[in-house]
Each structure stands twice: as C-alpha cells, then as structure tokens.
Amino acid sequence: MEISDLKTFLAVADEGGFTAAARKLCCVQPNVTSRIKKLEEELGVQLFHRNSRHVEQTLYGRQFYHHAEKIVRLSREAALSFQDESPRGPLSLGVTETVASGYLPSLLQSFQQICPDVELTVQTMESRALPDALLNHSLDIAFAELPVTHSSLKTADYWTQNLVLASSKTYKPAAKKGVTALAFSSNCPYRDVMFAALKRQNIAVDRQLHLYNTNTLLACIMGGVGMGVVPACLVERAHIAPYVDTLPISEQDGTAIISMITHRESVETAAVRAFKENARAMMPALLTS
C-alpha cells in the first residue's frame, strides 16, 4: 500500500467519482480505477459502490477514509518537518471569542511580520468545542479557557488573566432591585465566576441576558444594559475605560487560565513552532497591558 494509493482513494471519496478524481490528481481515469482496484484487492474489501452516475463509499470505505486521511496527513507533516526550517505553509488556529477580542490581533500582527509565508486560518468557537477540533485535526493550535482533559492533547503553555466585574459608569447596582447579568452560554467559564462575584458583593440578580460574542458583551456593558465578567485587559483599553466602572473579584474567583493546546500526535512544523514561540514572547505583555 502506497501513499499515492491512499491519496487516490481520498480523491475519489471527496470528489464522488473516478473522472472528477482524475481531474483533481491530474492523471487519466484508468490510472485511478486501477489504483482503487489494487487497494480493494489488498484490503480484501469493497471500498466503493459503483454505478453509471457516481460512486459511493461502502461501510468499509467510510471506515477506511479516516485511517487514510490520517496517514496522508502525517506523511505530509513528516515531510514538512525535514524541509527548510523557515516557517511556511498552512497554519490553522482556534480561539475563543475572548482571546480573539483581547489578544489575537496583536499576536497575528507580530507573527505575520516575522513569518510572512505562513497561510493563517483562524476559527472562533466555544472553549468546549476546541478540543474536538484539535482531535479531528482541523486545528493545529487552540487557545482555550478550560483545562486539557483528553490524553491525546497537551498544553504547550498557559497564562493567567485577571477578571473584573464591569458595568457602565451610569449603571448603579445599589439603586436597583436587581441587576441584569450579562453572560455567555452555560459552557462559558466566566459564567460561574460572575454569579459568585455578584453574590460576594451582595448584588441581587433580577434577570439574565444571554450573549454570543465578546464585542456584544462589551457594548452592552458600556451601554448600561447590565453587568458582566470580562478580562481586565479588555476594559482597560483607552476607548473603553472612560465609560466603564469595575468591581474587584476575590483572588479565589478572579482569574482564568488561557491554555495553548496542541495534539500530541501531530508533527510540529516550523510554522507551528514559530507561532508557539511568538505567543510565549507576546502573551505576558498583552495580559498586563
């Protein structure tokens, strides 16, 4: 079984036919057909149902797809690891909304200056979704605000961010029967921190408003809609600080961890290594700026 056979199999599965796969691979259709037949004979199973219009993966084909994709990906990563050490090629990042708003722009700006040949892709998602994206190899690096629990993942580094309970200067909790608590989904690690902080401040909650991104949360805080917990660095920005008051959170509750996570089995390419090094150099200053 050769890597080229696996690439041919993946092309047929992805394109849904032998002719389309041949076009993708820049070869003739009989070559594709013979490679698939050889692969099926070697495995002893039928990988595709064939008819006059299209081909469809069998149950064996769907099972084999994941193994073939993993082998091809690892072979590509292995080849990259022995090539020119200058960072280049694709790099996929996954970050939470908070990391995207608070730290990512500075990280990307500095990284693009030192590694202009790297093709960056960024996805924002909830912390709980990031491990799955790493496990299926759709991400190279993730920045999550929850601890790593899966044995196939590892924390490359982590940083502590200070949290504050924020509201607009015109929003006075003491003058109200209860405040509006601004929160993300139930999966957000800040949610429990917020309710614990409000309880310690003896501030009653009248209602909850569920929001879906950090910029909306900040806008609602500045606009006097309610109170929310955010990293201190977000509300200390020059264009936000004049409009926001903050209340301290106890040392026990008032911090959150940002973890930089990778997959244990993924080959560390020059691009991955460079981004990790850049993040380690940049994050401490970003957390205190």
Side-chain angles (χ1 to χ4, degrees):
M1 188 183 304
E2 300 177 0
I3 295 294
S4 58
D5 295 333
L6 300 182
K7 290 180 178 179
T8 301
F9 165 77
L10 292 173
V12 174
D14 291 339
E15 299 299 319
F18 291 92
T19 302
R23 285 197 297 268
K24 181 177 181 179
L25 297 170
C26 299
C27 66
V28 295
Q29 181 179 331
N31 187 28
V32 172
T33 303
S34 64
R35 281 186 177 273
I36 296 300
K37 184 178 180 181
K38 171 190 169 186
L39 192 56
E40 289 178 325
E41 290 175 349
E42 186 172 349
L43 294 171
V45 297
Q46 184 177 348
L47 298 173
F48 294 102
H49 294 300
R50 301 159 172 82
N51 60 43
S52 58
R53 295 185 177 181
H54 67 281
V55 298
E56 183 179 342
Q57 293 177 72
T58 64
L59 176 61
Y60 295 115
R62 290 193 294 271
Q63 292 175 343
F64 185 66
Y65 184 95
H66 301 289
H67 297 293
E69 190 277 332
K70 182 177 181 179
I71 293 170
V72 170
R73 175 181 54 78
L74 288 175
S75 70
R76 182 172 60 249
E77 291 178 354
L80 287 172
S81 69
F82 288 101
Q83 292 176 5
D84 184 358
E85 284 298 303
S86 60
R88 65 181 70 249
L91 177 63
S92 181
L93 307 177
V95 299
T96 62
E97 285 279 354
T98 304
V99 172
S101 296
Y103 315 109
L104 188 64
S106 297
L107 289 176
L108 295 184
Q109 182 183 37
S110 62
F111 182 72
Q112 287 181 321
Q113 289 176 348
I114 60 177
C115 300
D117 295 326
V118 174
E119 303 164 13
L120 275 166
T121 303
V122 180
Q123 301 180 54
T124 57
M125 57 186 74
E126 292 184 354
S127 274
R128 294 180 188 273
L130 288 166
D132 287 340
L134 282 169
L135 290 170
N136 65 29
H137 299 285
S138 60
L139 295 178
D140 297 307
I141 302 174
F143 286 79
E145 293 167 275
L146 290 174
V148 175
T149 58
H150 199 287
S151 60
S152 295
L153 304 180
K154 63 179 180 180
T155 300
D157 214 325
Y158 69 92
W159 304 272
T160 301
Q161 56 181 346
N162 293 320
L163 305 177
V164 294
L165 187 60
S167 64
S168 76
K169 291 185 178 297
T170 60
Y171 195 79
K172 303 299 179 183
K176 293 180 175 288
K177 184 172 67 173
V179 302
T180 297
L182 307 175
F184 295 135
S185 71
S186 57
N187 292 334
C188 177
Y190 299 161
R191 187 183 185 87
D192 292 339
V193 173
M194 178 180 64
F195 288 113
L198 290 171
K199 184 176 181 180
R200 291 179 189 276
Q201 297 284 343
N202 294 317
I203 299 173
V205 176
D206 180 44
R207 61 176 65 90
Q208 299 178 36
L209 180 59
H210 301 282
L211 305 170
Y212 292 94
N213 66 69
T214 302
N215 289 331
T216 302
L217 176 64
L218 289 171
C220 288
I221 289 173
M222 294 171 62
V225 176
M227 303 185 74
V229 165
V230 292
C233 68
L234 294 185
V235 294
E236 290 169 355
R237 295 171 175 175
H239 66 288
I240 294 178
Y243 307 100
V244 173
D245 280 334
T246 60
L247 292 173
I249 299 178
S250 69
E251 185 175 344
Q252 175 184 354
D253 300 320
T255 59
I257 298 296
I258 298 175
S259 299
M260 181 167 61
I261 308 170
T262 58
H263 198 297
R264 290 185 184 277
E265 294 183 0
S266 293
V267 176
E268 186 177 78
T269 64
V272 169
R273 185 163 53 252
F275 194 91
K276 287 163 62 177
E277 292 172 355
N278 184 64
R280 291 187 178 108
M282 294 283 297
M283 283 298 291
L286 295 177
L287 287 160
T288 58
S289 62

PDB file of all heavy atoms in Angstrom, residues 21-51:
ATOM      1  N   ALA A  21     -11.983  12.657  -9.753  1.00  0.00           N
ATOM      2  CA  ALA A  21     -10.748  12.402  -9.020  1.00  0.00           C
ATOM      3  C   ALA A  21      -9.540  12.491  -9.948  1.00  0.00           C
ATOM      4  O   ALA A  21      -8.487  13.020  -9.577  1.00  0.00           O
ATOM      5  CB  ALA A  21     -10.807  11.035  -8.347  1.00  0.00           C
ATOM      6  N   ALA A  22      -9.680  11.964 -11.167  1.00  0.00           N
ATOM      7  CA  ALA A  22      -8.588  12.030 -12.138  1.00  0.00           C
ATOM      8  C   ALA A  22      -8.237  13.479 -12.463  1.00  0.00           C
ATOM      9  O   ALA A  22      -7.061  13.836 -12.580  1.00  0.00           O
ATOM     10  CB  ALA A  22      -8.965  11.266 -13.402  1.00  0.00           C
ATOM     11  N   ARG A  23      -9.278  14.318 -12.630  1.00  0.00           N
ATOM     12  CA  ARG A  23      -9.018  15.743 -12.900  1.00  0.00           C
ATOM     13  C   ARG A  23      -8.274  16.376 -11.730  1.00  0.00           C
ATOM     14  O   ARG A  23      -7.342  17.161 -11.917  1.00  0.00           O
ATOM     15  CB  ARG A  23     -10.333  16.480 -13.146  1.00  0.00           C
ATOM     16  CG  ARG A  23     -10.951  16.213 -14.512  1.00  0.00           C
ATOM     17  CD  ARG A  23     -12.002  17.265 -14.841  1.00  0.00           C
ATOM     18  NE  ARG A  23     -13.120  17.214 -13.892  1.00  0.00           N
ATOM     19  CZ  ARG A  23     -14.229  16.502 -14.078  1.00  0.00           C
ATOM     20  NH1 ARG A  23     -14.363  15.770 -15.183  1.00  0.00           N
ATOM     21  NH2 ARG A  23     -15.195  16.526 -13.195  1.00  0.00           N
ATOM     22  N   LYS A  24      -8.695  16.058 -10.512  1.00  0.00           N
ATOM     23  CA  LYS A  24      -8.058  16.625  -9.325  1.00  0.00           C
ATOM     24  C   LYS A  24      -6.602  16.193  -9.212  1.00  0.00           C
ATOM     25  O   LYS A  24      -5.733  16.985  -8.828  1.00  0.00           O
ATOM     26  CB  LYS A  24      -8.823  16.206  -8.076  1.00  0.00           C
ATOM     27  CG  LYS A  24      -8.256  16.769  -6.773  1.00  0.00           C
ATOM     28  CD  LYS A  24      -9.104  16.371  -5.571  1.00  0.00           C
ATOM     29  CE  LYS A  24      -8.541  16.971  -4.287  1.00  0.00           C
ATOM     30  NZ  LYS A  24      -9.374  16.611  -3.106  1.00  0.00           N
ATOM     31  N   LEU A  25      -6.340  14.949  -9.571  1.00  0.00           N
ATOM     32  CA  LEU A  25      -4.989  14.398  -9.439  1.00  0.00           C
ATOM     33  C   LEU A  25      -4.134  14.613 -10.688  1.00  0.00           C
ATOM     34  O   LEU A  25      -2.956  14.228 -10.707  1.00  0.00           O
ATOM     35  CB  LEU A  25      -5.074  12.900  -9.139  1.00  0.00           C
ATOM     36  CG  LEU A  25      -5.763  12.516  -7.817  1.00  0.00           C
ATOM     37  CD1 LEU A  25      -5.996  11.009  -7.767  1.00  0.00           C
ATOM     38  CD2 LEU A  25      -4.941  12.978  -6.628  1.00  0.00           C
ATOM     39  N   CYS A  26      -4.756  15.202 -11.726  1.00  0.00           N
ATOM     40  CA  CYS A  26      -4.045  15.460 -12.991  1.00  0.00           C
ATOM     41  C   CYS A  26      -3.491  14.158 -13.600  1.00  0.00           C
ATOM     42  O   CYS A  26      -2.298  14.045 -13.948  1.00  0.00           O
ATOM     43  CB  CYS A  26      -2.915  16.468 -12.785  1.00  0.00           C
ATOM     44  SG  CYS A  26      -3.467  18.079 -12.203  1.00  0.00           S
ATOM     45  N   CYS A  27      -4.374  13.174 -13.704  1.00  0.00           N
ATOM     46  CA  CYS A  27      -3.991  11.902 -14.319  1.00  0.00           C
ATOM     47  C   CYS A  27      -5.173  11.373 -15.119  1.00  0.00           C
ATOM     48  O   CYS A  27      -6.243  11.995 -15.149  1.00  0.00           O
ATOM     49  CB  CYS A  27      -3.550  10.891 -13.258  1.00  0.00           C
ATOM     50  SG  CYS A  27      -4.860  10.370 -12.129  1.00  0.00           S
ATOM     51  N   VAL A  28      -4.999  10.239 -15.767  1.00  0.00           N
ATOM     52  CA  VAL A  28      -6.076   9.669 -16.574  1.00  0.00           C
ATOM     53  C   VAL A  28      -6.951   8.778 -15.698  1.00  0.00           C
ATOM     54  O   VAL A  28      -6.499   8.200 -14.709  1.00  0.00           O
ATOM     55  CB  VAL A  28      -5.512   8.877 -17.763  1.00  0.00           C
ATOM     56  CG1 VAL A  28      -4.774   9.822 -18.703  1.00  0.00           C
ATOM     57  CG2 VAL A  28      -4.592   7.759 -17.294  1.00  0.00           C
ATOM     58  N   GLN A  29      -8.227   8.629 -16.094  1.00  0.00           N
ATOM     59  CA  GLN A  29      -9.176   7.868 -15.283  1.00  0.00           C
ATOM     60  C   GLN A  29      -8.770   6.404 -15.098  1.00  0.00           C
ATOM     61  O   GLN A  29      -8.922   5.856 -13.998  1.00  0.00           O
ATOM     62  CB  GLN A  29     -10.580   7.952 -15.873  1.00  0.00           C
ATOM     63  CG  GLN A  29     -11.619   7.189 -15.049  1.00  0.00           C
ATOM     64  CD  GLN A  29     -13.004   7.294 -15.619  1.00  0.00           C
ATOM     65  OE1 GLN A  29     -13.338   8.273 -16.254  1.00  0.00           O
ATOM     66  NE2 GLN A  29     -13.816   6.263 -15.392  1.00  0.00           N
ATOM     67  N   PRO A  30      -8.268   5.702 -16.136  1.00  0.00           N
ATOM     68  CA  PRO A  30      -7.885   4.296 -15.925  1.00  0.00           C
ATOM     69  C   PRO A  30      -6.859   4.111 -14.817  1.00  0.00           C
ATOM     70  O   PRO A  30      -6.857   3.092 -14.121  1.00  0.00           O
ATOM     71  CB  PRO A  30      -7.322   3.886 -17.291  1.00  0.00           C
ATOM     72  CG  PRO A  30      -8.048   4.761 -18.263  1.00  0.00           C
ATOM     73  CD  PRO A  30      -8.171   6.083 -17.563  1.00  0.00           C
ATOM     74  N   ASN A  31      -5.991   5.111 -14.641  1.00  0.00           N
ATOM     75  CA  ASN A  31      -4.999   5.033 -13.575  1.00  0.00           C
ATOM     76  C   ASN A  31      -5.683   5.060 -12.210  1.00  0.00           C
ATOM     77  O   ASN A  31      -5.311   4.311 -11.300  1.00  0.00           O
ATOM     78  CB  ASN A  31      -4.011   6.192 -13.713  1.00  0.00           C
ATOM     79  CG  ASN A  31      -2.856   6.070 -12.731  1.00  0.00           C
ATOM     80  OD1 ASN A  31      -2.492   4.978 -12.332  1.00  0.00           O
ATOM     81  ND2 ASN A  31      -2.298   7.207 -12.331  1.00  0.00           N
ATOM     82  N   VAL A  32      -6.689   5.912 -12.081  1.00  0.00           N
ATOM     83  CA  VAL A  32      -7.442   5.994 -10.825  1.00  0.00           C
ATOM     84  C   VAL A  32      -8.178   4.675 -10.567  1.00  0.00           C
ATOM     85  O   VAL A  32      -8.141   4.117  -9.466  1.00  0.00           O
ATOM     86  CB  VAL A  32      -8.447   7.167 -10.862  1.00  0.00           C
ATOM     87  CG1 VAL A  32      -9.363   7.147  -9.636  1.00  0.00           C
ATOM     88  CG2 VAL A  32      -7.706   8.501 -10.960  1.00  0.00           C
ATOM     89  N   THR A  33      -8.830   4.156 -11.603  1.00  0.00           N
ATOM     90  CA  THR A  33      -9.595   2.913 -11.463  1.00  0.00           C
ATOM     91  C   THR A  33      -8.701   1.755 -11.048  1.00  0.00           C
ATOM     92  O   THR A  33      -9.054   0.962 -10.167  1.00  0.00           O
ATOM     93  CB  THR A  33     -10.298   2.571 -12.788  1.00  0.00           C
ATOM     94  OG1 THR A  33     -11.134   3.671 -13.181  1.00  0.00           O
ATOM     95  CG2 THR A  33     -11.156   1.330 -12.648  1.00  0.00           C
ATOM     96  N   SER A  34      -7.536   1.653 -11.670  1.00  0.00           N
ATOM     97  CA  SER A  34      -6.635   0.539 -11.364  1.00  0.00           C
ATOM     98  C   SER A  34      -6.083   0.648  -9.951  1.00  0.00           C
ATOM     99  O   SER A  34      -5.903  -0.370  -9.260  1.00  0.00           O
ATOM    100  CB  SER A  34      -5.494   0.481 -12.388  1.00  0.00           C
ATOM    101  OG  SER A  34      -4.687   1.642 -12.308  1.00  0.00           O
ATOM    102  N   ARG A  35      -5.814   1.863  -9.489  1.00  0.00           N
ATOM    103  CA  ARG A  35      -5.293   2.043  -8.130  1.00  0.00           C
ATOM    104  C   ARG A  35      -6.345   1.653  -7.077  1.00  0.00           C
ATOM    105  O   ARG A  35      -6.013   1.019  -6.069  1.00  0.00           O
ATOM    106  CB  ARG A  35      -4.837   3.479  -7.915  1.00  0.00           C
ATOM    107  CG  ARG A  35      -3.476   3.797  -8.509  1.00  0.00           C
ATOM    108  CD  ARG A  35      -3.012   5.197  -8.139  1.00  0.00           C
ATOM    109  NE  ARG A  35      -1.679   5.467  -8.648  1.00  0.00           N
ATOM    110  CZ  ARG A  35      -0.546   5.167  -8.015  1.00  0.00           C
ATOM    111  NH1 ARG A  35      -0.610   4.566  -6.835  1.00  0.00           N
ATOM    112  NH2 ARG A  35       0.623   5.452  -8.536  1.00  0.00           N
ATOM    113  N   ILE A  36      -7.592   2.028  -7.325  1.00  0.00           N
ATOM    114  CA  ILE A  36      -8.650   1.667  -6.387  1.00  0.00           C
ATOM    115  C   ILE A  36      -8.865   0.164  -6.369  1.00  0.00           C
ATOM    116  O   ILE A  36      -9.038  -0.453  -5.302  1.00  0.00           O
ATOM    117  CB  ILE A  36      -9.962   2.405  -6.738  1.00  0.00           C
ATOM    118  CG1 ILE A  36      -9.791   3.923  -6.582  1.00  0.00           C
ATOM    119  CG2 ILE A  36     -11.106   1.909  -5.853  1.00  0.00           C
ATOM    120  CD1 ILE A  36      -9.422   4.377  -5.178  1.00  0.00           C
ATOM    121  N   LYS A  37      -8.841  -0.457  -7.558  1.00  0.00           N
ATOM    122  CA  LYS A  37      -8.995  -1.923  -7.640  1.00  0.00           C
ATOM    123  C   LYS A  37      -7.865  -2.625  -6.901  1.00  0.00           C
ATOM    124  O   LYS A  37      -8.083  -3.589  -6.140  1.00  0.00           O
ATOM    125  CB  LYS A  37      -9.025  -2.362  -9.106  1.00  0.00           C
ATOM    126  CG  LYS A  37      -9.275  -3.857  -9.275  1.00  0.00           C
ATOM    127  CD  LYS A  37      -9.333  -4.229 -10.749  1.00  0.00           C
ATOM    128  CE  LYS A  37      -9.577  -5.736 -10.901  1.00  0.00           C
ATOM    129  NZ  LYS A  37      -9.626  -6.130 -12.336  1.00  0.00           N
ATOM    130  N   LYS A  38      -6.644  -2.135  -7.071  1.00  0.00           N
ATOM    131  CA  LYS A  38      -5.491  -2.706  -6.385  1.00  0.00           C
ATOM    132  C   LYS A  38      -5.635  -2.562  -4.869  1.00  0.00           C
ATOM    133  O   LYS A  38      -5.348  -3.510  -4.109  1.00  0.00           O
ATOM    134  CB  LYS A  38      -4.215  -2.007  -6.867  1.00  0.00           C
ATOM    135  CG  LYS A  38      -2.966  -2.366  -6.082  1.00  0.00           C
ATOM    136  CD  LYS A  38      -1.817  -1.443  -6.458  1.00  0.00           C
ATOM    137  CE  LYS A  38      -0.644  -1.613  -5.501  1.00  0.00           C
ATOM    138  NZ  LYS A  38       0.439  -0.635  -5.757  1.00  0.00           N
ATOM    139  N   LEU A  39      -6.125  -1.412  -4.424  1.00  0.00           N
ATOM    140  CA  LEU A  39      -6.285  -1.161  -2.996  1.00  0.00           C
ATOM    141  C   LEU A  39      -7.355  -2.078  -2.401  1.00  0.00           C
ATOM    142  O   LEU A  39      -7.187  -2.633  -1.306  1.00  0.00           O
ATOM    143  CB  LEU A  39      -6.651   0.312  -2.781  1.00  0.00           C
ATOM    144  CG  LEU A  39      -6.587   0.876  -1.349  1.00  0.00           C
ATOM    145  CD1 LEU A  39      -5.202   0.681  -0.740  1.00  0.00           C
ATOM    146  CD2 LEU A  39      -6.969   2.355  -1.365  1.00  0.00           C
ATOM    147  N   GLU A  40      -8.446  -2.250  -3.142  1.00  0.00           N
ATOM    148  CA  GLU A  40      -9.518  -3.136  -2.669  1.00  0.00           C
ATOM    149  C   GLU A  40      -9.045  -4.584  -2.579  1.00  0.00           C
ATOM    150  O   GLU A  40      -9.383  -5.299  -1.619  1.00  0.00           O
ATOM    151  CB  GLU A  40     -10.735  -3.027  -3.596  1.00  0.00           C
ATOM    152  CG  GLU A  40     -11.469  -1.688  -3.475  1.00  0.00           C
ATOM    153  CD  GLU A  40     -12.638  -1.568  -4.421  1.00  0.00           C
ATOM    154  OE1 GLU A  40     -12.528  -2.109  -5.555  1.00  0.00           O
ATOM    155  OE2 GLU A  40     -13.638  -0.936  -4.055  1.00  0.00           O
ATOM    156  N   GLU A  41      -8.244  -4.993  -3.555  1.00  0.00           N
ATOM    157  CA  GLU A  41      -7.719  -6.365  -3.532  1.00  0.00           C
ATOM    158  C   GLU A  41      -6.766  -6.562  -2.352  1.00  0.00           C
ATOM    159  O   GLU A  41      -6.767  -7.599  -1.691  1.00  0.00           O
ATOM    160  CB  GLU A  41      -7.020  -6.666  -4.846  1.00  0.00           C
ATOM    161  CG  GLU A  41      -7.968  -6.782  -6.025  1.00  0.00           C
ATOM    162  CD  GLU A  41      -7.231  -6.958  -7.350  1.00  0.00           C
ATOM    163  OE1 GLU A  41      -5.982  -6.780  -7.353  1.00  0.00           O
ATOM    164  OE2 GLU A  41      -7.878  -7.246  -8.370  1.00  0.00           O
ATOM    165  N   GLU A  42      -5.969  -5.536  -2.083  1.00  0.00           N
ATOM    166  CA  GLU A  42      -5.005  -5.627  -0.985  1.00  0.00           C
ATOM    167  C   GLU A  42      -5.707  -5.667   0.369  1.00  0.00           C
ATOM    168  O   GLU A  42      -5.304  -6.408   1.267  1.00  0.00           O
ATOM    169  CB  GLU A  42      -4.042  -4.441  -1.046  1.00  0.00           C
ATOM    170  CG  GLU A  42      -2.921  -4.510  -0.033  1.00  0.00           C
ATOM    171  CD  GLU A  42      -1.880  -3.419  -0.241  1.00  0.00           C
ATOM    172  OE1 GLU A  42      -1.927  -2.741  -1.295  1.00  0.00           O
ATOM    173  OE2 GLU A  42      -1.033  -3.245   0.647  1.00  0.00           O
ATOM    174  N   LEU A  43      -6.788  -4.879   0.509  1.00  0.00           N
ATOM    175  CA  LEU A  43      -7.536  -4.833   1.766  1.00  0.00           C
ATOM    176  C   LEU A  43      -8.520  -5.990   1.892  1.00  0.00           C
ATOM    177  O   LEU A  43      -8.931  -6.340   2.998  1.00  0.00           O
ATOM    178  CB  LEU A  43      -8.292  -3.510   1.879  1.00  0.00           C
ATOM    179  CG  LEU A  43      -7.434  -2.245   2.011  1.00  0.00           C
ATOM    180  CD1 LEU A  43      -8.304  -0.996   1.897  1.00  0.00           C
ATOM    181  CD2 LEU A  43      -6.676  -2.235   3.342  1.00  0.00           C
ATOM    182  N   GLY A  44      -8.935  -6.550   0.769  1.00  0.00           N
ATOM    183  CA  GLY A  44      -9.897  -7.646   0.785  1.00  0.00           C
ATOM    184  C   GLY A  44     -11.322  -7.203   1.018  1.00  0.00           C
ATOM    185  O   GLY A  44     -12.163  -8.001   1.460  1.00  0.00           O
ATOM    186  N   VAL A  45     -11.624  -5.929   0.738  1.00  0.00           N
ATOM    187  CA  VAL A  45     -12.985  -5.397   0.904  1.00  0.00           C
ATOM    188  C   VAL A  45     -13.294  -4.472  -0.268  1.00  0.00           C
ATOM    189  O   VAL A  45     -12.397  -3.976  -0.960  1.00  0.00           O
ATOM    190  CB  VAL A  45     -13.147  -4.614   2.228  1.00  0.00           C
ATOM    191  CG1 VAL A  45     -12.923  -5.522   3.425  1.00  0.00           C
ATOM    192  CG2 VAL A  45     -12.209  -3.409   2.276  1.00  0.00           C
ATOM    193  N   GLN A  46     -14.590  -4.220  -0.483  1.00  0.00           N
ATOM    194  CA  GLN A  46     -15.020  -3.258  -1.489  1.00  0.00           C
ATOM    195  C   GLN A  46     -15.138  -1.891  -0.837  1.00  0.00           C
ATOM    196  O   GLN A  46     -15.828  -1.727   0.174  1.00  0.00           O
ATOM    197  CB  GLN A  46     -16.367  -3.671  -2.092  1.00  0.00           C
ATOM    198  CG  GLN A  46     -16.825  -2.753  -3.219  1.00  0.00           C
ATOM    199  CD  GLN A  46     -18.122  -3.226  -3.854  1.00  0.00           C
ATOM    200  OE1 GLN A  46     -18.564  -4.348  -3.611  1.00  0.00           O
ATOM    201  NE2 GLN A  46     -18.741  -2.384  -4.670  1.00  0.00           N
ATOM    202  N   LEU A  47     -14.476  -0.910  -1.419  1.00  0.00           N
ATOM    203  CA  LEU A  47     -14.456   0.432  -0.838  1.00  0.00           C
ATOM    204  C   LEU A  47     -15.538   1.340  -1.406  1.00  0.00           C
ATOM    205  O   LEU A  47     -15.958   2.292  -0.748  1.00  0.00           O
ATOM    206  CB  LEU A  47     -13.085   1.079  -1.056  1.00  0.00           C
ATOM    207  CG  LEU A  47     -11.897   0.373  -0.395  1.00  0.00           C
ATOM    208  CD1 LEU A  47     -10.582   1.009  -0.820  1.00  0.00           C
ATOM    209  CD2 LEU A  47     -12.043   0.410   1.127  1.00  0.00           C
ATOM    210  N   PHE A  48     -15.994   1.069  -2.634  1.00  0.00           N
ATOM    211  CA  PHE A  48     -16.978   1.937  -3.281  1.00  0.00           C
ATOM    212  C   PHE A  48     -18.074   1.101  -3.943  1.00  0.00           C
ATOM    213  O   PHE A  48     -17.811   0.029  -4.491  1.00  0.00           O
ATOM    214  CB  PHE A  48     -16.318   2.810  -4.363  1.00  0.00           C
ATOM    215  CG  PHE A  48     -15.346   3.817  -3.836  1.00  0.00           C
ATOM    216  CD1 PHE A  48     -13.982   3.587  -3.921  1.00  0.00           C
ATOM    217  CD2 PHE A  48     -15.792   4.996  -3.250  1.00  0.00           C
ATOM    218  CE1 PHE A  48     -13.067   4.511  -3.451  1.00  0.00           C
ATOM    219  CE2 PHE A  48     -14.885   5.929  -2.769  1.00  0.00           C
ATOM    220  CZ  PHE A  48     -13.527   5.687  -2.863  1.00  0.00           C
ATOM    221  N   HIS A  49     -19.303   1.613  -3.864  1.00  0.00           N
ATOM    222  CA  HIS A  49     -20.395   1.142  -4.714  1.00  0.00           C
ATOM    223  C   HIS A  49     -20.321   1.936  -6.012  1.00  0.00           C
ATOM    224  O   HIS A  49     -20.284   3.167  -5.997  1.00  0.00           O
ATOM    225  CB  HIS A  49     -21.747   1.378  -4.048  1.00  0.00           C
ATOM    226  CG  HIS A  49     -21.970   0.572  -2.800  1.00  0.00           C
ATOM    227  ND1 HIS A  49     -21.957  -0.808  -2.777  1.00  0.00           N
ATOM    228  CD2 HIS A  49     -22.208   0.975  -1.521  1.00  0.00           C
ATOM    229  CE1 HIS A  49     -22.183  -1.233  -1.555  1.00  0.00           C
ATOM    230  NE2 HIS A  49     -22.329  -0.184  -0.763  1.00  0.00           N
ATOM    231  N   ARG A  50     -20.319   1.245  -7.157  1.00  0.00           N
ATOM    232  CA  ARG A  50     -20.188   1.924  -8.437  1.00  0.00           C
ATOM    233  C   ARG A  50     -21.488   1.819  -9.236  1.00  0.00           C
ATOM    234  O   ARG A  50     -22.125   0.767  -9.254  1.00  0.00           O
ATOM    235  CB  ARG A  50     -19.049   1.302  -9.247  1.00  0.00           C
ATOM    236  CG  ARG A  50     -17.681   1.357  -8.567  1.00  0.00           C
ATOM    237  CD  ARG A  50     -16.750   0.303  -9.163  1.00  0.00           C
ATOM    238  NE  ARG A  50     -15.379   0.394  -8.710  1.00  0.00           N
ATOM    239  CZ  ARG A  50     -14.924  -0.117  -7.562  1.00  0.00           C
ATOM    240  NH1 ARG A  50     -15.765  -0.729  -6.742  1.00  0.00           N
ATOM    241  NH2 ARG A  50     -13.648  -0.016  -7.246  1.00  0.00           N
ATOM    242  N   ASN A  51     -21.873   2.941  -9.860  1.00  0.00           N
ATOM    243  CA  ASN A  51     -22.954   2.882 -10.850  1.00  0.00           C
ATOM    244  C   ASN A  51     -22.600   3.847 -11.972  1.00  0.00           C
ATOM    245  O   ASN A  51     -21.527   4.456 -11.969  1.00  0.00           O
ATOM    246  CB  ASN A  51     -24.315   3.205 -10.215  1.00  0.00           C
ATOM    247  CG  ASN A  51     -24.372   4.588  -9.593  1.00  0.00           C
ATOM    248  OD1 ASN A  51     -23.893   5.557 -10.188  1.00  0.00           O
ATOM    249  ND2 ASN A  51     -24.944   4.692  -8.401  1.00  0.00           N
TER     250      ASN A  51
END
